[in-house]
Amino acid sequence: EVLGVTTGRIPYDEIQLEGGSAFGTGTHPTARLCSQWLLNTLPHVTAPVNVPATDTPVTINVLDYGSGSGILSLVALLAASRCARSVRVDGVDVDTNALQVATRNLAQNRNRRDTQEDNDDDTRRFGCRFYAPMEHTPGSELWDEITGMTSVLETTTTLQSEPETSAPVMGTPSSSITQLPTDRIQSYNIIVANIIAPCLIGLARTLALLAAPGGTLALSGLGSHEAPEVVMEYERYFSELRIVQELEGWVLIQGIRNDVPVR
């Protein structure tokens, strides 16, 4: 069992990934597009207007949907470290093996330089955890079938009773995998989804439900010829949808969550 440390200062500038079957090595053009987008975007995310000013840094909530190996979640942590922002990253995937690999990758990258000098005055907070899809969203029924669990809500409720600040990552046994909690609805300032176009189309309502008002969305995993159909599916809930990056025939679409409710 891997005990991942998910709070504190993130000291790494390089990311190491476990080899295996989990999708995402960081070398594919879409992973490179999303990584660069995160590094460019996260430093400029503003605090929600309804959050009062305090001495505690505002936490930026990031969702990596279709997290695979966890590469983009790790890039988000790295981006936050570089720009001195507090961040909470949630990764979601339907593949239980991928969730376990991502958790090990998180632990490896968080712990491999723990002996480096730390700054006790650093008030930033970094959290990361990996989940199966939220109940009643695309992929959740498949996840139930894969794990054979009949009462995921009981497990989720138990974990929810722990203070959010502890944010322990799940261990490797599939029984410890939980679904994304429903309190994440309308909470994410940044959502990145690097998935094939048919899956992106099926996730439009889900990602709109999870995005905070004014939150920024990035979609990749699709070619330029697939972009019009994906934009058509998302334009009800996201404004300013457009291709902002392109590499080797692959594109990244960006949008801003509007105020249209999800029904």
Side-chain angles (χ1 to χ4, degrees):
E1 182 173 334
V2 175
L3 298 178
V5 179
T6 61
T7 58
R9 188 164 177 256
I10 306 298
Y12 55 80
D13 285 320
E14 296 178 354
I15 292 173
Q16 293 184 352
L17 297 176
E18 172 185 316
S21 59
F23 178 81
T25 62
T27 59
H28 191 273
T30 59
R32 289 155 60 191
L33 288 172
C34 292
S35 296
Q36 192 60 55
W37 183 86
L38 282 166
L39 291 169
N40 292 341
T41 302
L42 197 146
H44 304 291
V45 173
T46 57
V49 295
N50 60 341
V51 175
T54 66
D55 293 333
T56 302
V58 173
T59 298
I60 304 302
N61 295 320
V62 179
L63 176 63
D64 172 14
Y65 212 98
S67 50
S69 67
I71 175 65
L72 295 181
S73 295
L74 293 170
V75 170
L77 292 173
L78 176 59
S81 174
R82 288 181 175 179
C83 66
R85 304 295 297 269
S86 294
V87 69
R88 182 187 70 188
V89 183
D90 290 336
V92 172
D93 205 290
V94 70
D95 184 348
T96 55
N97 176 67
L99 293 171
Q100 294 164 12
V101 170
T103 298
R104 293 196 293 270
N105 283 332
L106 171 64
Q108 176 183 358
N109 284 276
R110 180 59 186 89
N111 294 332
R112 70 188 180 92
R113 291 183 60 190
D114 268 356
T115 58
Q116 298 243 343
E117 181 180 356
D118 204 350
N119 179 6
D120 292 336
D121 296 328
D122 194 339
T123 58
R124 291 171 292 161
R125 306 295 291 176
F126 302 90
C128 185
R129 186 167 178 174
F130 296 96
Y131 295 95
M134 184 181 291
E135 186 187 25
H136 304 312
T137 62
S140 59
E141 292 79 9
L142 175 61
W143 177 75
D144 294 340
E145 181 178 338
I146 290 173
T147 62
M149 293 179 65
T150 57
S151 179
V152 295
L153 288 180
E154 181 177 347
T155 304
T156 303
T157 302
T158 300
L159 289 177
Q160 280 295 96
S161 65
E162 299 176 359
E164 179 62 32
T165 53
S166 64
V169 298
M170 57 194 178
T172 55
S174 61
S175 60
S176 64
I177 296 171
T178 62
Q179 290 175 290
L180 187 70
T182 55
D183 66 3
R184 299 299 202 267
I185 289 174
Q186 292 188 329
S187 71
Y188 293 104
N189 310 105
I190 291 178
I191 295 179
V192 58
N194 184 22
I195 320 176
I196 60 175
C199 292
L200 290 176
I201 289 171
L203 286 167
R205 293 181 71 256
T206 298
L207 298 186
L209 184 70
L210 294 169
T216 306
L217 171 76
L219 305 174
S220 195
L222 67 157
S224 56
H225 64 288
E226 299 170 302
E229 186 177 3
V230 172
V231 167
M232 186 182 305
E233 199 67 31
Y234 280 79
E235 61 187 357
R236 173 176 175 82
Y237 302 113
F238 293 88
S239 306
E240 304 176 33
L241 281 166
R242 66 190 190 279
I243 295 174
V244 295
Q245 292 177 266
E246 188 166 0
L247 181 63
E248 300 176 17
W250 301 90
V251 299
L252 184 146
I253 298 171
Q254 178 179 290
I256 305 297
R257 181 69 171 99
N258 59 30
D259 57 1
V260 175
V262 177
R263 292 190 173 89

